[in-house]
């Protein structure tokens, strides 16, 4: 116990020092790069893809999947929505597509290289440790490779598979073959094709029939090496009557140049299954002048395949220079339910373009969309979403609310909802408001003794409450702090 | 405690207060009465520091400091509390959460340690009990969907938790039925002490039956037209403000 | 060959059509109007039509329409009464694209209040000539939509100028009727309205087509509203079941002006309404209201609105409601932009649709793009069906199902008419509406 305490104090010291050094972005350190075991040449060629597959000792079918995806990627044009001005700056030939951080994957905590463990300490503010203590199983992906999966044994006793994607390809090929690309095919979009060709690792999670996963499953993603892209893949399969709550956290060090992150998340939910997926995204957003930062292009989609299945996305997006991300639900099973709760905060020169697609196919399907955008500085924040009710989707219900809060007169808030309704029994309601924080609310809080900044934080947190409520407790606390940090200096 | 000298205040082009002089000592309760539009609420807002008003002449000293030099939140942390006529709704922020933020920001400034959630909850429960209110109030979003009475009770609860040096009650009795009025007034009375002063702004005498003032001032056309003890309030209740108007016009003619 | 290529190849036909048209334009070939028309058609052929990749045309597919080989309608006038006249109004009537003097009250206009004339005449009129020319050139150069260019190239064109500080006592009733018997005709209209400062005017448009007759009609309105002026434009259309209408209105509003637009769409195979409002000053109000009943077998109606809040202290209100039956489809695409520094804007937008059949559909895309912080903007969209409980309630009170349904539908649409001040117009439109419920 004494050792633990010492370690804790030591960690705290580190954190404090870090805070001293870099006030704005608490995850803005990076680890020594020369400890990397393998770094691919820059650029994307068939050779690189083959090399990635070879190094990972992948079976033929996996390589085949990658090569087909590469072919699509090379044929597809860059997407054209949103502000593409910045995107043209991405030089796909100037990215390391694969970096392996250590020769062997650490199978046990002690085997994990010290500097990576330190990274975790700094990263999560002992988040990982805390979660271990609180019984959260964690898989962490640094740059491209999954380095650590905890609680594997306890989970496997229940028949739950929670491991790195690479392991899953080796150990559970039948499941991967069956579900990989079943929700997000590699033909889906430009970045999904890119990911499918070069994805390095990620997490795989399988919950067998009737099992309620007893702990939160969590993945922590981090880009470390300069000039790299991170392309991870997450696949979650929830069998009949199973339940799982999955957390995802992301950070990256401060870098002057932009880094690329293009992930794919696929979820499959069978009859009566419930998957809850929560994200706190805090990739490096770039500095106050808009230099650097992560380009974050993520395809997340869940398939409610079974009757009465449910997929719920919750996200708090505070990081990244540019985010394009639309966690979606295909409501195929009768009575299935899709939810999307989102907070997106942008400050300085950040751009966030996020939203969801709710595709109602089955009968009696329901979806809820709550999106809260907050823009400050010179940033732009867009909600872009689709609610589609197909011809056969009898009695579909959707409620959407998209609110925008503006702080300052140099930022923008945009709402692009698409509603496509082909069934008369549908009931679809969409509401959107754009406003600023009320003067009278500020005055009231200040009269009680709060500084303007604190008053704004308080009001903003209240404004976001419906979404915070959806997050697991400890994540919600972290998210609230992040929000405050993100909005620092946006007043006055 | 509070010394107001020759205070002139304008809102836009319009001069509302035209030379107010008022001294309040610790422990005193001053009632400010007057017809509509006489500047009662303006006085309350100027003490709190609302930006819509401009002080064109005069001074306000609070605990020996120049109040007009301080920001809204600085004044609040220095011990000025305004109970609003129309409390503002803040969706998603519970009363408990709000009070925790406020209390801790005051404590931080004083160099005291912040209260944690548990300590805070204990403190609030105690106050709720003392005031004979319902604990459910703490969990609800601040003032959102509250009835008029609940909002006013919430103001008093906040006052009880924040323990200000000077409390300014702005038309706290408006919108209260007699039961609610009694609860609110009793709340105020439990907070009366030798160190704490009150300014009670009201149109009607009925609140003063429960909160008995040491002094009553009648504000008319931006000036204190008459000062007295609680009997002045009774006279106003019986005879209205008309006699006052006559008196003023007589004196201004003279 | 890709569809888009085919369409754009097909666009060449408009040059040929124009050459034919030009042959008939003896006498005006030297006028600047002719030059502008030539430029417009050249511009169109170069630019082509928007494809589905264009976000503004995402839900309206023009492929079928633009594959058509068009011809000019015969220059004939039926002599029939073209539309039921609006009480207390002054009439201007067009049939197959031509002004019908016998059914127009051109002599009833008081020139000290308002000037009404064809573009050709306007360009001979010393007082309005320069302004009209400027507007026409703006259209061509600044670039209206492809369909606006068609109007510019082929329309005879009407100019209305309301004089300063004038209250027009009677609405101007413009009728556009298609009555020919040829197939695949192209008819174009152009209407330039200039309301000088401090004036108030009402324009009522009737657009009527013939059953089974296939045609494309393009109507292009340009409304220039000066300081503190107030213009209301009411339109109802009952195009034929094979008629296609592309109706475009560009509104330029100066300081303190008010514009109100109300549209009732009942007919047509493919109908597209484009409304673009630009604010050039402060304290401007723009009201855009629409209602529609698509009771035909397969109608397509696309309401597109765009309010550009470029200036502070302005407001816009939008309300669109409609009923869709059978295989019909309604689209609402409303965009509100609040430009940087355009503070103190109130912008409200609401659209609602009732689906009556299993095959009817609605696509809705209400957009807000906000670049200023001190604004209040909201939009709402609801899509659903008649409230079964309300229906049940009415039936328990003795109404037949059909009657009860009609009552509820009518109540649903009525909300839009509640915005109308003018009694005669409200009555006229309600009359038209009720035969469709």
């Amino acid at each position: 116990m004494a050792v633990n305490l010492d370690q804790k104090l030591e960690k705290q010291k580190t954190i404090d020092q870090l805070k001293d050094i870099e006030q704005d972005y608490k995850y803005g350190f990076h680890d020594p790069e020369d400890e990397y075991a393998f770094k691919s040449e820059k650029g994307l060629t068939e050779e690189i893809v083959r090399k990635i597959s070879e190094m990972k000792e992948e079976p033929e079918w996996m390589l085949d999947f990658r090569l087909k995806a590469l072919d699509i990627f090379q044929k597809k044009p860059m997407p054209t929505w949103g502000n593409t001005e910045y995107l043209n700056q991405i030089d796909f030939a100037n990215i390391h597509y694969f970096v392996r951080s250590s020769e062997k994957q650490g199978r046990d905590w002690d085997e994990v290289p010290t500097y990576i463990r330190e990274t975790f300490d700094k990263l999560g503010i002992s988040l990982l440790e805390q979660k271990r203590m609180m019984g959260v199983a964690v898989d962490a992906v640094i740059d491209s490779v999954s380095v650590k999966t905890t609680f594997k044994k306890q989970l496997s006793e229940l028949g739950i598979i929670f491991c790195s994607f690479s392991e899953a390809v080796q150990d559970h090929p039948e499941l991967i073959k069956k579900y990989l690309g079943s929700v997000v095919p590699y033909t889906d979009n430009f970045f999904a094709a890119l990911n499918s060709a070069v994805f390095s690792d990620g997490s795989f999670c399988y919950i067998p029939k009737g099992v309620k996963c007893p702990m939160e499953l969590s993945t922590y993603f981090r880009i470390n090496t300069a000039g790299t892209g991170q392309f991870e893949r997450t696949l979650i399969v929830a069998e009949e009557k199973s339940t799982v709550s999955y957390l995802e956290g992301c950070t990256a060090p401060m870098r002057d140049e932009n880094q690329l992150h293009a992930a794919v998340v696929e979820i499959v939910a069978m009859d009566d299954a419930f998957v809850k997926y929560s994200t706190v995204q805090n990739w490096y957003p770039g500095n106050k002048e808009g230099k650097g930062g992560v380009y974050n292009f993520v395809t997340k989609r869940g398939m409610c395949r079974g009757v009465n299945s449910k997929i719920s996305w919750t996200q708090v997006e505070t990081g990244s220079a540019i985010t394009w991300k639309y966690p979606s639900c295909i409501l195929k099973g009768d009575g299935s339910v899709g939810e999307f709760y989102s907070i997106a905060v942008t400050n300085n020169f950040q751009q966030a373009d996020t939203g969801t697609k709710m595709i109602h196919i089955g009968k009696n399907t329901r979806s809820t969309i709550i999106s809260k955008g907050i823009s400050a500085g010179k940033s732009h924040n867009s909600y872009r979403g689709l609610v589609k009710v197909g011809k056969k989707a009898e009695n579909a219900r959707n409620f959407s609310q998209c609110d925008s809060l503006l702080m300052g007169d140099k930022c923008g808030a945009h709402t692009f909802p698409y509603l496509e309704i082909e069934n008369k029994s549908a009931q679809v309601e969409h509401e959107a408001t754009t406003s600023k924080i009320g003067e009278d609310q500020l005055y009231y809080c200040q009269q009680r003794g709060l500084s303007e900044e604190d008053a704004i934080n308080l009001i903003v947190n209240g404004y976001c409450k419906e979404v915070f409520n959806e997050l697991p407790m400890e994540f919600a606390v972290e998210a609230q702090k992040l929000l405050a940090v993100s909005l620092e200096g946006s007043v006055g | 405690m509070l010394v107001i000298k020759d205070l002139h205040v304008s809102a836009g082009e319009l001069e509302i207060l035209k030379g107010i002089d008022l001294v309040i000592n610790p422990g005193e309760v001053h009632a400010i009465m007057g017809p509509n539009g006489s500047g009662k609420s303006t006085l309350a807002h100027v003490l709190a520091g609302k930006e819509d008003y401009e002080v064109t002449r005069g001074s306000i000293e609070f605990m020996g400091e120049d109040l007009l030099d301080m920001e809204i939140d600085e004044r609040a942390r220095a011990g000025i509390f305004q109970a609003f006529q129309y409390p503002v709704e803040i969706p998603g922020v519970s009363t408990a959460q709000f009070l925790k933020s406020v209390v801790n920001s005051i404590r931080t400034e004083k160099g005291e340690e912040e209260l944690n959630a548990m300590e805070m909850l204990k403190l609030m429960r105690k106050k709720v009990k003392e005031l004979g209110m319902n604990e459910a109030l703490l969990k609800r979003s601040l003032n959102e969907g509250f009835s008029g009475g609940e909002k006013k009770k919430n103001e008093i609860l906040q006052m009880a938790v924040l323990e200000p040096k000077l409390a300014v009650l702005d038309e706290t009795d408006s919108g209260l039925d007699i039961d609610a009025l009694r609860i609110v007034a009793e709340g105020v009375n439990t907070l009366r002490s030798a160190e704490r002063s009150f300014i009670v702004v009201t149109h009607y005498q009925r609140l003063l039956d429960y909160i008995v003032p040491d002094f009553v001032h009648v504000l008319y056309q931006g000036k204190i037209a008459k000062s007295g003890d609680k009997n002045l309030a009774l006279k106003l209740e019986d005879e209205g403000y008309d006699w006052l108007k006559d008196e003023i016009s007589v004196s201004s003619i003279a | 060959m890709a569809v888009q290529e085919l369409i754009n190849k097909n666009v060449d036909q408009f040059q040929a059509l124009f050459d034919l048209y030009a042959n008939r334009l003896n006498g005006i070939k030297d006028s600047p109007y002719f030059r502008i028309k030539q430029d417009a058609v050249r511009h169109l052929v170069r630019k082509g039509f928007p494809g589905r990749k264009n976000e503004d045309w995402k839900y309206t597919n023009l492929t079928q329409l633009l594959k058509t080989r068009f011809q000019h309608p015969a220059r004939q006038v039926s002599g029939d009464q073209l539309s039921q006249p609006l009480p207390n109004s002054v009439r201007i009537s067009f049939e197959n694209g031509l002004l019908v003097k016998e059914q127009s009250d051109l002599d009833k206009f008081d020139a000290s209040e308002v000037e009404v004339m064809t573009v050709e005449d306007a360009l001979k009129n010393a007082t309005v000539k320069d302004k009209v020319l400027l507007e026409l050139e703006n259209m061509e150069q600044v670039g209206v939509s492809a369909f606006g260019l068609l109007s510019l190239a082929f329309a005879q064109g009407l100019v209305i100028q309301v004089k300063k500080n004038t209250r027009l006592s009677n609405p101007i009733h413009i009728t556009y009727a298609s009555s020919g018997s040829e197939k695949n005709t192209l008819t174009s209209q152009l209407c330039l309205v200039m309301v000088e400062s401090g004036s108030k005017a009402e324009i009522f448009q009737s657009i009527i087509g013939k059953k089974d007759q296939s045609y494309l009609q393009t109507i292009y309105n340009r409304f220039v509203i000066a300081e503190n002026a107030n213009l209301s434009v009411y339109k109802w259309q009952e195009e034929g079941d094979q008629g296609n209408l592309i109706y475009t209105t560009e509104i330029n509003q100066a300081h303190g002006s008010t514009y109100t637009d109300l549209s009732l769409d009942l007919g047509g195979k493919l109908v597209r309404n484009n409304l673009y409002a630009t604010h050039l000053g402060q304290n401007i109000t723009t009201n855009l209201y629409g209602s529609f009943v698509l009771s035909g077998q397969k109608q397509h109606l696309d309401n597109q609105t765009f309010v550009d809040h470029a200036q502070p202290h302005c407001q816009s209100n939008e309300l669109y409601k409609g009923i869709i039956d059978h295989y019909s489809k309604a689209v609402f695409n409303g965009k509100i932009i609040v430009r940087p520094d355009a503070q103190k804007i109130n912008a409200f937008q609401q659209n609602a649709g009732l689906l009556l059949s299993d095959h009817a559909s609605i696509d809705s895309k209400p957009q807000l793009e906000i670049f200023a912080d001190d604004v209040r903007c909201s939009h709402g969209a609801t899509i659903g069906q008649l409230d079964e409980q309300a229906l049940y309630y009415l039936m328990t009170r003795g109404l037949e199902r059909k009657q009860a349904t009609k009552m509820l539908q009518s109540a649903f649409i009525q909300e839009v008419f509640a915005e109308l001040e003018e009694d005669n117009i409200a009555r006229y439109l309600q009359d038209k509406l009720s035969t469709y419920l």
Side-chain angles (χ1 to χ4, degrees), chain A residues 439-441 443-452 454 458-459 461-463 465 480, chain B residues 45 48 50 73 76-77 80-82 84 89 91-93 98 101-102 105 143 155 158:
Chain A
E439 292 289 336
D440 52 346
Q441 289 177 330
Y443 174 58
Y444 189 84
C445 293
Q446 284 178 277
Q447 205 298 310
R448 295 298 183 254
L450 294 181
S451 67
E452 193 174 15
D454 286 347
L458 190 81
I459 295 167
N461 276 321
Y463 164 81
K465 190 166 190 177
Q480 285 190 15
Chain B
H45 285 311
K50 197 170 187 187
D73 48 324
R77 291 196 294 268
I80 289 185
F81 180 92
Q82 181 183 10
F84 285 67
E89 300 186 0
V93 177
F98 179 68
S101 305
V102 169
S105 85
N143 293 326
E155 294 290 289
Q158 290 180 36

Side-chain angles (χ1 to χ4, degrees), chain A residues 320-339:
Chain A
S320 298
I322 301 177
T323 299
W324 286 9
K325 184 175 165 189
Y326 316 93
S328 301
C329 298
I330 300 170
L331 304 171
K332 201 172 170 195
D334 290 349
S336 58
V337 178
E339 294 176 342

Side-chain angles (χ1 to χ4, degrees), chain B residues 53-73:
Chain B
Y53 301 97
E54 195 195 346
V55 175
T56 52
R57 202 176 347 148
S59 66
I60 307 178
E61 207 178 84
F62 178 65
M63 311 291 292
E65 305 267 340
D66 181 1
L67 191 72
L68 296 177
D69 229 23
M70 296 159 82
E71 293 296 321
I72 307 167
D73 48 324

Side-chain angles (χ1 to χ4, degrees), chain A residues 222-243:
Chain A
R222 177 175 174 82
I223 302 175
N224 194 48
T225 314
T228 51
Q230 175 151 319
F231 309 96
E232 80 279 351
R233 230 182 145 100
T234 304
L235 174 59
I236 300 172
V237 179
E239 292 283 9
E240 245 173 78
K241 293 195 168 62
S242 68
T243 301

Side-chain angles (χ1 to χ4, degrees), chain B residues 8-253:
Chain B
H8 289 250
V9 175
S10 301
E13 298 286 289
L14 190 72
E15 186 170 48
I16 301 174
L17 297 182
K18 301 168 183 168
I20 302 276
D21 290 283
L22 185 63
V23 176
I24 296 179
N25 295 308
E28 291 176 355
V29 176
H30 291 244
I32 310 266
M33 300 184 71
N36 289 330
S38 58
K40 302 189 301 285
S41 285
T42 301
L43 181 62
H45 285 311
V46 168
L47 289 172
K50 197 170 187 187
E51 277 152 10
D52 306 354
Y53 301 97
E54 195 195 346
V55 175
T56 52
R57 202 176 347 148
S59 66
I60 307 178
E61 207 178 84
F62 178 65
M63 311 291 292
E65 305 267 340
D66 181 1
L67 191 72
L68 296 177
D69 229 23
M70 296 159 82
E71 293 296 321
I72 307 167
D73 48 324
E74 286 174 329
R75 297 180 193 202
R77 291 196 294 268
I80 289 185
F81 180 92
Q82 181 183 10
F84 285 67
Q85 185 174 3
Y86 306 109
V88 175
E89 300 186 0
I90 304 183
V93 177
S94 72
T95 302
Q97 195 189 347
F98 179 68
L99 279 172
K100 180 169 178 272
S101 305
V102 169
V103 166
N104 282 336
S105 85
I106 294 173
R107 293 181 72 96
T108 307
E109 180 159 294
K110 284 186 188 160
E112 295 169 355
E113 208 161 302
E114 292 197 358
L115 295 183
N116 66 28
M118 204 55 225
E119 293 163 331
M120 195 59 221
L121 198 62
K122 269 187 188 162
L123 171 68
M124 286 186 286
R125 280 186 179 152
K126 181 168 161 268
K127 297 291 181 185
V128 165
K129 211 171 172 187
E130 281 172 11
L131 297 170
M133 293 179 189
N134 189 342
E135 213 176 279
L137 211 66
L138 293 173
K139 273 177 87 176
R140 290 165 60 186
S141 273
L142 192 61
N143 293 326
E144 198 185 30
F146 280 27
S147 69
E150 283 173 328
K151 281 185 184 172
K152 295 297 167 76
K153 284 181 199 169
N154 194 293
E155 294 290 289
I156 301 305
L157 171 65
Q158 290 180 36
M159 181 164 82
V161 172
L162 298 180
E163 301 182 328
K165 296 192 176 74
L166 173 67
V168 184
L169 313 186
D170 185 7
E171 306 264 2
T172 295
D173 52 329
S174 80
L176 294 185
D177 62 37
I178 192 66
D179 283 342
L181 181 75
R182 204 173 285 141
I183 293 174
V184 166
E186 276 167 14
V188 172
N189 286 332
T190 59
L191 293 170
R192 283 179 79 158
S193 79
E195 295 82 39
R196 185 169 297 134
S197 311
F198 289 84
I199 295 177
V200 182
V201 174
T202 182
H203 189 75
Y204 304 102
Q205 187 268 340
R206 65 170 188 160
L207 178 66
L208 304 180
D209 283 343
Y210 299 95
I211 305 172
V212 181
D214 301 309
F215 301 94
V216 175
H217 309 279
V218 182
L219 210 56
Y220 184 66
Q221 292 183 344
K223 286 184 178 169
I224 292 179
K226 205 168 179 67
S227 295
D229 60 10
K230 63 179 181 186
N231 291 318
L232 178 59
L234 291 171
K235 184 175 161 80
L236 287 171
E237 183 69 10
D238 290 342
E239 302 173 20
Y241 290 101
D242 288 345
W243 62 272
L244 191 74
K245 291 176 191 168
D246 298 339
E247 207 165 278
I248 302 273
S249 42
V250 167
S251 71
S252 61
I253 290 163

Side-chain angles (χ1 to χ4, degrees), chain A residues 193-357:
Chain A
L194 173 62
N195 174 286
S196 300
V198 302
F199 76 91
S200 37
D201 213 329
S203 301
F204 173 64
C205 167
Y206 177 84
I207 316 291
K209 191 171 167 178
V211 172
K212 305 230 176 307
C213 185
M215 59 183 84
E216 314 262 0
L217 301 184
S218 172
T219 304
Y220 227 87
F221 294 104
R222 177 175 174 82
I223 302 175
N224 194 48
T225 314
T228 51
Q230 175 151 319
F231 309 96
E232 80 279 351
R233 230 182 145 100
T234 304
L235 174 59
I236 300 172
V237 179
E239 292 283 9
E240 245 173 78
K241 293 195 168 62
S242 68
T243 301
V244 64
S245 169
Y246 193 93
L247 317 176
E248 173 200 277
C250 320
T251 62
M254 287 169 56
R255 299 268 184 205
D256 272 355
E257 81 272 28
N258 297 104
Q259 287 170 297
L260 179 63
H261 173 249
V264 170
V265 176
E266 295 178 277
I267 300 175
V268 180
M270 302 302 186
D271 289 0
D272 298 301
F274 174 34
V275 179
K276 184 176 174 65
Y277 195 106
S278 313
T279 306
V280 173
Q281 185 265 108
N282 185 30
W283 298 116
Y284 178 53
N287 69 8
K288 288 200 161 66
E289 282 71 49
K291 199 164 165 39
V294 171
Y295 290 160
N296 185 34
F297 306 123
V298 179
T299 308
K300 288 183 167 175
R301 196 174 301 152
M303 170 80 85
C304 285
R305 207 187 264 195
V307 172
N308 297 329
S309 55
K310 177 175 173 183
I311 293 176
S312 178
W313 299 100
T314 306
Q315 59 174 24
V316 177
E317 303 280 319
T318 63
S320 298
I322 301 177
T323 299
W324 286 9
K325 184 175 165 189
Y326 316 93
S328 301
C329 298
I330 300 170
L331 304 171
K332 201 172 170 195
D334 290 349
S336 58
V337 178
E339 294 176 342
F340 174 73
Y341 298 94
S342 170
I343 297 169
V345 184
T346 53
N347 198 354
N348 300 318
F349 286 86
Q350 280 177 277
Q351 291 189 23
D353 196 304
T354 183
T356 183
K357 290 182 186 177

Side-chain angles (χ1 to χ4, degrees), chain A residues 442-479:
Chain A
L442 271 182
Y443 174 58
Y444 189 84
C445 293
Q446 284 178 277
Q447 205 298 310
R448 295 298 183 254
L450 294 181
S451 67
E452 193 174 15
E453 194 128 330
D454 286 347
I456 286 172
N457 274 336
L458 190 81
I459 295 167
V460 166
N461 276 321
Y463 164 81
C464 294
K465 190 166 190 177
E466 283 161 285
V467 179
F468 283 138
N469 282 347
E470 295 297 320
L471 283 174
M473 183 64 177
E474 83 219 67
F475 242 40
V477 173
E478 193 178 328

